[in-house]
Amino acid sequence: MASNSDSIYNVMFYIVHHPAEITFTSEYTNVVRMGIPDRIKVANPEIYFPDNKLLVNRFQEDFVAKNGNLLDFFFDYTEKKVPNYHEVWVSTAHLPSKQLYFLELSFE
């Protein structure tokens, strides 16, 4: 499943270490949306960040269990206070006209 790839993990890791380069928005209480400059190297972007097309997947339970600290970093950008999520959905796309990769995490 694409959402459990090293590519997505590496983009998330990059965001944690370079948050000033990222545009964060939150329209819903349990969602964080990010715009990442597309100059950042991503492995297989045509698979994980398709041009002008949204790719949506749910992280597998073992990914959520192993990467709780990483996911909690993003959860802190939501309006929720207690990280009591059990599922995390990830949506990705490439927006060439804006020169951005789009990454959205929904905590359920």
Side-chain angles (χ1 to χ4, degrees):
M1 180 176 278
S3 65
N4 298 296
S5 75
D6 289 339
S7 288
I8 300 296
Y9 174 86
N10 290 337
V11 170
M12 292 170 63
F13 187 83
Y14 183 90
I15 293 168
V16 169
H17 291 91
H18 302 91
E21 296 181 34
I22 310 305
T23 304
F24 290 89
T25 59
S26 182
E27 187 174 327
Y28 302 101
T29 59
N30 64 324
V31 174
V32 60
R33 292 181 176 156
M34 294 153 276
I36 303 120
D38 64 4
R39 63 177 162 67
I40 294 168
K41 298 291 183 199
V42 174
N44 302 6
E46 67 283 353
I47 296 171
Y48 302 108
F49 290 89
D51 288 348
N52 299 311
K53 182 179 175 183
L54 199 59
L55 178 68
V56 180
N57 283 297
R58 182 176 58 85
F59 282 129
Q60 293 178 352
E61 290 178 17
D62 63 328
F63 182 91
V64 174
K66 285 190 237 178
N67 295 292
N69 290 338
L70 178 67
L71 292 168
D72 286 349
F73 170 86
F74 294 99
F75 183 85
D76 287 345
Y77 282 90
T78 71
E79 295 178 17
K80 293 199 166 218
K81 303 297 179 218
V82 179
N84 60 351
Y85 56 89
H86 301 287
E87 294 182 354
V88 181
W89 289 81
V90 57
S91 303
T92 58
H94 180 225
L95 308 173
S97 64
K98 295 185 179 189
Q99 298 179 314
L100 288 175
Y101 290 124
F102 171 80
L103 176 67
E104 176 185 89
L105 298 174
S106 175
F107 296 88
E108 306 295 332

